[in-house]
Amino acid sequence: MGDGSKRREVRGPGQRLSPGTPDLPPSLPQLKLRCDFEILMVPWQNSSQLLKHDCVTL
C-alpha cells in the first residue's frame, strides 16, 4: 500500500515532461500565446468539460 504522498518533479527549459513528450529543437522559433478557457466542472459527478477556448498570439 502507498503512503499517500505525491512526488512532483520540477523540470527546467528543454527537459522532457514525460518519456513520451518530445523536446522542441532549440532553433525552432517559439510563439507567445494568451489563451482563455471556459471549463465546466461538476465535482459530484467527478467530471469536467472544456466548453470554450480561445488563443491569440502576443
Side-chain angles (χ1 to χ4, degrees):
M1 288 178 55
D3 62 1
S5 64
K6 293 185 179 181
R7 188 174 134 194
R8 180 177 177 213
E9 294 182 26
V10 177
R11 307 223 184 243
Q15 292 182 328
R16 292 182 181 204
L17 298 176
S18 69
T21 305
D23 290 328
L24 294 175
S27 60
L28 187 64
Q30 296 182 10
L31 294 175
K32 289 188 178 187
L33 300 173
R34 190 199 72 188
C35 298
D36 295 317
F37 299 94
E38 187 173 325
I39 300 171
L40 173 64
M41 297 182 72
V42 185
W44 58 89
Q45 292 181 346
N46 196 26
S47 69
S48 61
Q49 180 181 3
L50 178 63
L51 299 177
K52 181 171 48 172
H53 70 281
D54 182 41
C55 295
V56 293
T57 306
L58 295 178

